[in-house]
Amino acid sequence: MEHQHQHNTMKMEHEHATMNHGAHHDHHAMMIADFRKRFYVVLVLTVPVMLLSKMIQHWLGISFTFSGDAYVLLILSSVVFIYGGWPFLKGWWDEMKSREPGMMTLIGFAITVAYVYSVATVFGLQGMDFFWELTTLILIMLLGHWIEMKSVMGASRELELLVQLMPDEAHLVHGDHVMEVKTAELKAGDIILVKPGEKVAADGVILEGSTSLNESMLTGESRPVEKQANDKVIAGSINGNGAIKITVTHGAADSYLSQVVKLVQDAQQSRSKTQLLADKAARWLTVIAILAGIATFLYWWLSGRELSFAIERMVTVIVICCPHALGLAVPLVIAKSTALSARHGLLIKNRTDFENSRKITTLVFDKTGTLTVGRFEVVRFESLQQGISKEEILKMAAALEGSSEHPIATGITGKAKEMQLTLPAAENVTAITGKGITGNIAGKTVQVVSPGYAGEHFKDAATATIQPGETLVYVVTDNTVAGFIALADQIRPESAGAIATLKENRIKTVLLTGDNKVVAESVSKTLDMDSYIAEVLPHQKLDKIKELQQQGEFVAMTGDGINDAPALAQANVGIAIGSGSDVAAETAGIVLVNSNPQDVVNLILFGKATYRKMIQNLAWATGYNIVALPLAAGVLYKQGILLSPAAGAVLMTVSTVVVAINASLLKVKGSGK
C-alpha cells in the first residue's frame, strides 16, 4: 500500500514537472518581454533627462533653462527610477526577506543612493545632481538583463527541444475508424496509428506494419533503426516511410521521454560542488562590493572631494562588482550540458558523478557485451562430408533452429536469412536438453549438437579446431558428422577506437566479466586492454572494485544497472549501459541509452569539457572583477581613467553575456554525432 501511494505521488510530481517546464518557460519569456518594454520606455525618457542635465548641456555646448526645469527633471527621473528600477528594487526586497543579499541588493542599493542624493540636491543640498547617470545606469541595466535572459534561454533551449519531441496529438484507432486525441490522454492498451514522417506519440510495441525509425534525438544513434511487429518503439522518435500501428505500453507522463525531461530538470536544479563554490564566491563578492563601495566613498569624501564625486565612485564600484557573471557561470553550463547530453543518449542523474568523470583513472567494463555486439554471429561454416556443400550444412541447421529463441539458433538463422538461402522443411523437431536439437529433413535424421555431445556419441567428431572466443556446433546427418558452424560474439567496430582514446587520456581499461576466460582473454587482447578478470560472479564484482580503489584508482564502472547495482554503487562513478528504457530504475549516476563503448568515451570527454567551461567562466567572472573594481574606485583617476556608473553597468553586462556565450559553445564531441 505504502509503495503504491509512493508511486502515485511520484507520478503526480512527474506530470507536474513536465507541465511545470512549460510554465517555467512561459514565465521566462514574460520576463524577457517585461525587461524589453521597460527598456524602451526608459530609452524614450532618457533623451529629455539628458538634455535637461547641466553637465550634458555643458558637454554639448548648449544652454537652455526654463522655470521649474529642475522639477521636470526630477519627475522624469522619478518615473525612470520607479518604473525602470522596479525589477531591481523588488529583487532587493526579496533578497532582504530571504536574508540572501546578492546582485539585486547591489543594484537596488546603488540606484537608490544615486536617486536619493539627486533629489536632495533639487531641494537645496549643495552639489551636482545625478539624474542623467541614474537614468543611463538603469537603461543599461535593463538592456543587460534583457540580453542576458535571452542568452540564458538559449543555453537551456536544449531541454525545450526534448520537450517539443512529443507531438500534441495522436491518431487513436477505435474499431474501424481513427480519432484525433491529445497525446496526454493516451493510456496503456490504446492502439495508435503513426503515419510516415510523423513523430511516435507514445512508448509502445508495434502491433502491425514495419518501418525504420529515427531515434537519434533520444539515443544519439544516427542510423535509422529497422522496426517490425513486436518491436518496442520510443515516444518522440520520427517514423520513416512505413505506417505502423502501436499498442501503447504506458501513458505520456510515464514515457521514456517524460522521464528524460524530468531527469534533466532534476539534474539542472541539483547543486554540484562547483556550483556551491560559485554561490559562496558570489555571496562573498556581494559583501566585498558593499564594503569596497563604502570604503571608496569614505576615501574620496574624507580626502576633500565633493560629495557627488564620492557617491558616484561608490555607485560605480557597487554596480561593477555585481556577482551576476559569477552567479551564472556554473548554472548555465549545467543547464546546457545536462540537456545536451540527454539528446546524445547520455543521461546524467547525479551531477557530482558527471563532474567526477574527469578524475577517472580506471574504467571497468562489466561485460564483453558492451565491447562486443552482444549476440552470436556465424563467423565460419564448413562441410566435413563429400557431396554436401557448406551451404547445405547451414541450410539444414537453420531449418532445425527456425523456431528456437536460443542465441546460437538466432545466429544461425540470421546468417541463412542474410545469405537468402531457401530452407528445407524440418519435421519432428525436438530439443536434446542442454546439448542441441534434432529433427527430420527429407527423410534423414539431422542433429545440431555441442562438441561435447558429438565427442561422446559420434566418431571423428573433433576434426574442427576451435579458435579463441568461438562457440562451435556440429551438424550430424544419420549419425555421421557432416559439418560444423562456428559462431562468435563479434567485437563492435567502435570498441578499438574507444579503448585507444581512453589510453590516450591515460585511463586504464579492465574487463570484469562473468564470461569464460577464453572469451574474456580474446576480447581483452584484441582490443589491447590493460587487464581482464573473467568468470566473476555478480557479488564478487563489488570486491574487485574495492580492490582497485584500495590501490588508489578512481574507478568508473559500466554495468547494466540492475544485476550490477552494488558494484555500480561502490564505484566512484557508476555508468549504467544500454538501459535507456529503465531510466528510473538505476543505481548509477549516469545512464547511457546505447551499449556503445564510444558513448562511455564521449561521456568522459564531455565531462572534462564541461568542467573546463565552468572553470573558464569562473576565471572570467572573478578576473573581470579584480581588474574592474580598482578602476571603478578611481585608482587611475590621476592618469585620467575614470569609469562612469553607466560604463560600469556596460562592463557588468558584457561579463555576464561572455559567460552565457561561453556556456552555449559547449558541445558533445565524439563519434560524429
Side-chain angles (χ1 to χ4, degrees):
M1 185 68 204
E2 177 64 26
H3 178 75
Q4 184 59 38
H5 170 71
Q6 236 174 350
H7 176 74
N8 289 343
T9 314
M10 274 169 60
K11 194 168 165 181
M12 276 157 61
E13 281 172 7
H14 209 124
E15 288 166 21
H16 178 66
T18 314
M19 292 186 303
N20 223 6
H21 181 74
H24 172 73
H25 175 253
D26 292 344
H27 172 67
H28 212 82
M30 264 164 49
M31 282 179 72
I32 289 176
D34 184 56
F35 275 112
R36 183 174 60 221
K37 188 171 77 184
R38 287 177 198 271
F39 168 75
Y40 283 125
V41 171
V42 172
L43 181 63
V44 170
L45 293 175
T46 301
V47 178
V49 169
M50 299 277 277
L51 290 173
L52 288 171
S53 294
K54 298 282 179 283
M55 176 81 85
I56 302 292
Q57 288 183 15
H58 173 69
W59 283 350
L60 296 175
I62 56 171
S63 173
F64 66 88
T65 53
F66 54 87
S67 64
D69 58 354
Y71 294 106
V72 172
L73 185 59
L74 170 66
I75 291 163
L76 290 172
S77 302
S78 298
V79 173
V80 169
F81 174 69
I82 293 163
Y83 179 72
W86 178 250
F88 309 114
L89 297 169
K90 183 179 177 300
W92 180 16
W93 173 247
D94 291 344
E95 284 179 0
M96 287 294 100
K97 267 200 315 198
S98 62
R99 296 195 180 153
E100 284 188 357
M103 184 194 65
M104 292 303 190
T105 301
L106 296 182
I107 299 173
F109 178 67
I111 62 176
T112 305
V113 168
Y115 176 71
V116 170
Y117 168 76
S118 301
V119 171
T121 62
V122 174
F123 293 110
L125 182 75
Q126 283 298 308
M128 290 282 286
D129 68 66
F130 251 21
F131 287 128
W132 75 269
E133 279 111 325
L134 173 72
T135 311
T136 50
L137 174 58
I138 289 174
L139 181 74
I140 288 163
M141 280 293 177
L142 288 168
L143 176 66
H145 271 66
W146 173 24
I147 293 172
E148 174 208 305
M149 287 179 85
K150 285 183 77 164
S151 308
V152 171
M153 210 163 166
S156 54
R157 245 195 82 65
E158 304 295 334
L159 183 58
E160 289 306 301
L161 293 171
L162 278 175
V163 173
Q164 287 163 13
L165 282 180
M166 189 70 95
D168 292 331
E169 295 199 323
H171 314 301
L172 180 66
V173 179
H174 205 276
D176 299 337
H177 62 281
V178 175
M179 310 173 1
E180 297 298 313
V181 295
K182 291 270 177 241
T183 304
E185 292 168 11
L186 292 175
K187 53 191 188 301
D190 283 348
I191 294 169
I192 55 170
L193 172 69
V194 182
K195 296 174 184 172
E198 289 185 339
K199 287 177 184 163
V200 176
D203 292 1
V205 176
I206 296 182
L207 184 66
E208 60 181 72
S210 62
T211 187
S212 63
L213 286 182
N214 178 352
E215 298 179 342
S216 61
M217 279 293 277
L218 298 152
T219 64
E221 192 62 67
S222 49
R223 291 187 298 276
V225 188
E226 296 297 326
K227 300 276 185 180
Q228 51 214 23
N230 298 325
D231 284 349
K232 282 185 182 173
V233 293
I234 313 173
S237 41
I238 300 163
N239 191 12
N241 48 18
I244 47 174
K245 281 186 183 168
I246 295 167
T247 308
V248 177
T249 44
H250 38 64
D254 291 331
S255 73
Y256 167 73
L257 187 61
S258 297
Q259 290 190 41
V260 171
V261 169
K262 171 86 170 67
L263 190 73
V264 171
Q265 285 174 329
D266 290 350
Q268 283 182 353
Q269 285 156 14
S270 70
R271 302 297 231 196
S272 64
K273 285 177 184 163
T274 326
Q275 163 89 52
L276 293 170
L277 181 77
D279 286 353
K280 200 178 261 181
R283 265 199 292 281
W284 273 106
L285 195 57
T286 305
V287 175
I288 289 166
I290 289 173
L291 294 176
I294 293 167
T296 303
F297 169 77
L298 291 172
Y299 172 80
W300 288 112
W301 191 43
L302 296 174
S303 65
R305 296 298 306 222
E306 57 273 22
L307 185 61
S308 62
F309 181 85
I311 286 181
E312 187 184 25
R313 289 304 90 223
M314 175 170 81
V315 167
T316 310
V317 164
I318 286 174
V319 166
I320 217 159
C321 260
C322 273
H324 212 188
L326 192 56
L328 283 172
V330 175
L332 282 183
V333 178
I334 285 177
K336 176 84 177 175
S337 66
T338 315
L340 191 62
S341 49
R343 285 181 51 207
H344 285 77
L346 321 173
L347 307 178
I348 299 165
K349 296 190 72 175
N350 181 323
R351 290 286 333 164
T352 309
D353 267 20
F354 176 58
E355 283 175 30
N356 281 343
S357 60
R358 68 196 159 81
K359 300 182 196 166
I360 294 168
T361 58
T362 296
L363 184 58
V364 174
F365 287 94
D366 93 299
K367 58 156 83 69
T368 46
T370 306
L371 299 165
T372 58
V373 179
R375 61 176 185 271
F376 280 113
E377 292 184 347
V378 173
V379 281
R380 56 199 182 101
F381 53 101
E382 294 295 342
S383 167
L384 299 172
Q385 208 176 352
Q386 291 277 312
I388 298 182
S389 70
K390 60 189 260 186
E391 282 75 17
E392 289 288 323
I393 297 292
L394 188 63
K395 275 185 193 177
M396 288 191 286
L400 286 188
E401 300 282 17
S403 57
S404 171
E405 290 294 312
H406 191 280
I408 288 178
T410 49
I412 292 172
T413 51
K415 183 70 173 176
K417 200 180 283 181
E418 182 193 314
M419 291 174 66
Q420 296 179 331
L421 300 176
T422 310
L423 304 183
E427 294 162 346
N428 308 326
V429 178
T430 50
I432 310 166
T433 312
K435 306 291 183 187
I437 197 165
T438 180
N440 297 338
I441 296 174
K444 285 181 182 173
T445 304
V446 179
Q447 292 164 300
V448 179
V449 293
S450 67
Y453 184 87
E456 277 174 42
H457 293 82
F458 313 109
K459 55 185 193 314
D460 336 315
T463 47
T465 50
I466 302 179
Q467 306 290 336
E470 277 185 355
T471 297
L472 208 67
V473 291
Y474 285 105
V475 178
V476 180
T477 57
D478 290 340
N479 293 335
T480 309
V481 175
F484 69 87
I485 300 171
L487 301 100
D489 188 357
Q490 299 283 66
I491 287 177
R492 282 171 168 267
E494 312 92 348
S495 295
I499 301 292
T501 311
L502 290 167
K503 272 210 155 70
E504 279 165 32
N505 283 273
R506 293 196 287 284
I507 295 171
K508 297 190 196 105
T509 50
V510 177
L511 181 58
L512 179 66
T513 176
D515 282 353
N516 68 56
K517 197 163 178 283
V518 177
V519 173
E521 185 178 26
S522 161
V523 170
S524 174
K525 281 209 168 120
T526 310
L527 291 173
D528 192 23
M529 293 175 77
D530 291 282
S531 63
Y532 70 91
I533 308 164
E535 295 169 22
V536 185
L537 295 170
H539 66 273
Q540 295 171 322
K541 289 183 180 177
L542 176 74
D543 301 329
K544 297 291 179 192
I545 299 282
K546 278 187 181 160
E547 271 172 41
L548 286 165
Q549 287 170 329
Q550 279 154 8
Q551 291 160 22
E553 299 291 332
F554 197 91
V555 181
M557 174 170 172
T558 68
D560 72 359
I562 297 158
N563 309 346
D564 303 317
L568 280 173
Q570 176 62 38
N572 301 86
V573 178
I575 305 169
I577 284 207
S579 38
S581 51
D582 317 317
V583 178
E586 310 298 349
T587 47
I590 298 155
V591 182
L592 300 187
V593 179
N594 292 314
S595 307
N596 185 343
Q598 185 60 47
D599 282 352
V600 182
V601 177
N602 292 353
L603 172 80
I604 294 170
L605 297 181
F606 187 52
K608 287 186 173 182
T610 301
Y611 188 74
R612 266 200 309 277
K613 276 274 178 271
M614 286 182 185
I615 298 304
Q616 284 165 9
N617 274 0
L618 289 173
W620 166 262
T622 35
Y624 137 84
N625 278 304
I626 290 165
V627 174
L629 194 149
L631 287 179
V635 169
L636 296 181
Y637 172 59
K638 295 212 168 41
Q639 283 75 21
I641 297 174
L642 202 60
L643 294 175
S644 71
V650 167
L651 279 176
M652 193 207 96
T653 300
V654 166
S655 79
T656 310
V657 172
V658 166
V659 162
I661 289 170
N662 190 36
S664 68
L665 293 175
L666 188 64
K667 286 191 174 56
V668 178
K669 292 197 176 71
S671 49
K673 288 187 185 176

